[in-house]
Amino acid sequence: MTSAMDTPPGVALPPPITERGGVGWAYANLFSNWYNTVLTFIFAALLGLALWFGLSWIVLEADWKVIATLGGRLIIGQYNTEFACPGQNCFWRPQASLLLVSVLLGMAWAVSGDKAARRIAIGVAAVTVAFAFLPYSMDQMGLDVRLLLAANVPAVAAGWVLARYTPLGTVRWMVILGVLFFLVILVLIGGVPGVPGLQPVSTIYWGGLMLNLLLAVTGITLSLPIGIALALGRRSSLPLVKLLCVVFIEVMRGMPLITLLFMSQVLVPLAFPQDFSTNSLFRAGIILTLFSSAYMAENIRGGLQALHPGQVEAARALGLAGWQTTLLISLPQAIRNVIPAIVGQFISLFKDTLLVYIIGMLDVVEFSRAFIQGNAEYLASARELFLFLALVFWIFTYTMSYVSRRVEVHLRVGQR
């Protein structure tokens, strides 16, 4: 029998099996003492029961036909109906917009080189291609629709090649193209008067998940710079600027979002002439952006206050101007320190887009609710439909959280 005395000198023995790998982790975290062992078995039993009954309902009892019936209307709402697009087919416009998004995702993959960007780009392409193979008849989903969905794979590849082998593969060009593509998407979806195939579509017919995403992207893109400006204004030494920023932030944070949306619907038109065109989508976008920017300002201000004052003093000793100290030293560190709070506000803004139903806009949840109430044969399938919508929103919010964690790791947040 080999003993410890027979071990050659200088050779390190591996740790015991109970201290390494999955067994070691389970022993340290689940079975470290008697009460942890009891709790592990109790929670395992409860989890097993929940999975048993949950999966049995999902697989055997639930009726998912309502989702197949709604199909693409969950994405675009009433956008492609005869009322919205009389005498024309508008379904290609949102799909063309998705192709632009896929190009951007491919470019982000090439520019960042991160696994998160690669997974998101490939995941979006894979899901859209899967939709192209849904078992619909050609009357329900034509060949043109299927080809446009499948084209997202070459669109991602085109974006990757564009960023990898052209001068466009920089963060600056990514931002410029992102803004340009967003404006093109708005033109595609909204239409242009007098252009064949791009006849205008009233915003009252914009709906579904497309509406939630447009409002969320607009709010996220604009609320961050506005919030930064408000945070800097609140810390300003100019009394009037500071007072205006404080009043704006406290008023916006002190009023419910529902109240502000109602006010935008009722009071804002009174401030403009009767022939001035203001639509619900435009007003909702402004309110969501301003509401989110007030909270964003406090997040940024907290990051600025967390910085050690010695850094500002060192910048002054080096002769840097005040704006240089703020833009080059204080602000980048403040934003880096509050990335979790910023992304949390973005997630909250995305979920707040559901509240636009109170001003008559059919977001994905309100459109689904109206469909269920208007079709009595699907009333029993309401649970399945809203469970599916909850899963969709969870996927979007978890993706944002996952990207946030990857950015924190890249920027070494929490490490000195």
Side-chain angles (χ1 to χ4, degrees):
M1 178 181 292
T2 303
S3 63
M5 300 297 295
D6 299 328
T7 304
V11 176
L13 294 175
I17 188 64
T18 56
E19 295 184 8
R20 55 192 170 98
V23 175
W25 180 90
Y27 185 81
N29 295 276
L30 303 178
F31 306 103
S32 57
N33 47 53
W34 69 269
Y35 53 84
N36 277 345
T37 303
V38 171
L39 289 175
T40 297
F41 282 113
I42 291 175
F43 280 106
L46 293 176
L47 181 61
L49 289 174
L51 288 176
W52 173 261
F53 289 105
L55 291 177
S56 63
W57 177 81
I58 291 173
V59 176
L60 302 176
E61 301 177 23
D63 184 7
W64 304 98
K65 293 181 181 178
V66 62
I67 298 174
T69 301
L70 282 171
R73 285 182 287 176
L74 285 173
I75 307 297
I76 62 175
Q78 302 181 87
Y79 185 83
N80 197 38
T81 59
E82 183 63 26
F83 298 102
C85 300
Q88 58 176 321
N89 180 14
C90 294
F91 195 70
W92 67 272
R93 299 193 200 175
Q95 290 188 310
S97 302
L98 182 59
L99 290 176
L100 294 178
V101 174
S102 297
V103 171
L104 278 180
L105 291 177
M107 294 183 66
W109 173 11
V111 171
S112 65
D114 190 75
K115 293 181 179 179
R118 182 186 66 188
R119 290 172 181 172
I120 293 173
I122 295 177
V124 170
V127 170
T128 53
V129 170
F131 280 129
F133 292 96
L134 288 176
Y136 288 125
S137 65
M138 284 298 177
D139 294 335
Q140 294 176 294
M141 181 184 289
L143 182 61
D144 56 341
V145 175
R146 298 177 189 271
L147 291 177
L148 282 172
L149 288 172
N152 283 274
V153 171
V156 170
W160 188 88
V161 171
L162 192 66
R164 191 64 180 264
Y165 298 106
T166 68
L168 300 179
T170 61
V171 176
R172 173 188 293 181
W173 275 108
M174 277 284 300
V175 174
I176 295 174
L177 289 178
V179 175
L180 180 61
F181 282 5
F182 183 72
L183 296 177
V184 172
I185 289 172
L186 290 180
V187 172
L188 277 174
I189 296 176
V192 180
V195 178
L198 281 179
Q199 286 84 354
V201 179
S202 176
T203 55
I204 63 175
Y205 298 110
W206 296 23
L209 189 61
M210 176 185 69
L211 175 64
N212 296 97
L213 292 176
L214 285 174
L215 289 173
V217 170
T218 303
I220 289 172
T221 304
L222 297 179
S223 64
L224 181 60
I226 295 176
I228 292 174
L230 289 171
L232 296 177
R234 186 161 187 169
R235 291 168 54 88
S236 174
S237 58
L238 300 175
L240 181 59
V241 174
K242 182 175 182 179
L243 177 62
L244 292 176
C245 293
V246 169
V247 169
F248 177 85
I249 292 172
E250 298 303 330
V251 169
M252 281 293 174
R253 291 201 307 159
M255 298 180 67
L257 179 57
I258 294 178
T259 303
L260 294 172
L261 288 172
F262 271 126
M263 291 174 60
S264 71
Q265 187 75 4
V266 177
L267 298 181
V268 170
L270 299 178
F272 295 93
Q274 293 185 354
D275 57 347
F276 187 82
S277 177
T278 58
N279 55 65
S280 299
L281 179 64
F282 181 73
R283 294 196 293 266
I286 291 178
I287 292 300
L288 286 170
T289 300
L290 295 180
F291 184 80
S292 180
S293 64
Y295 285 88
M296 189 65 64
E298 291 300 279
N299 293 334
I300 300 297
R301 188 169 68 92
L304 290 170
Q305 290 182 339
L307 297 179
H308 195 281
Q311 299 193 38
V312 176
E313 295 172 358
R316 291 175 179 173
L318 292 174
L320 295 181
W323 65 271
Q324 292 176 318
T325 302
T326 300
L327 294 181
L328 302 179
I329 297 177
S330 300
L331 195 57
Q333 295 184 77
I335 295 176
R336 172 181 176 271
N337 291 337
V338 294
I339 286 177
I342 291 175
V343 176
Q345 183 57 38
F346 289 164
I347 292 174
S348 178
L349 172 62
F350 176 56
K351 293 186 291 186
D352 284 342
T353 58
L354 297 175
L355 295 177
V356 297
Y357 79 93
I358 65 175
I359 57 174
M361 306 188 71
L362 292 179
D363 67 283
V364 63
V365 174
E366 178 63 12
F367 180 80
S368 302
R369 185 199 63 79
F371 178 82
I372 289 292
Q373 289 190 347
N375 297 270
E377 64 272 23
Y378 293 108
L379 283 175
S381 301
R383 288 176 300 177
E384 289 84 345
L385 178 56
F386 289 111
L387 181 63
F388 174 76
L389 293 179
L391 177 63
V392 170
F393 272 85
W394 178 83
I395 290 173
F396 276 99
T397 55
Y398 179 78
T399 301
M400 296 168 69
S401 177
Y402 175 71
V403 172
S404 169
R405 292 197 302 271
R406 298 297 302 180
V407 172
E408 291 176 39
V409 171
H410 179 72
L411 297 179
R412 305 184 59 155
V413 176
Q415 303 179 23
R416 297 294 182 183

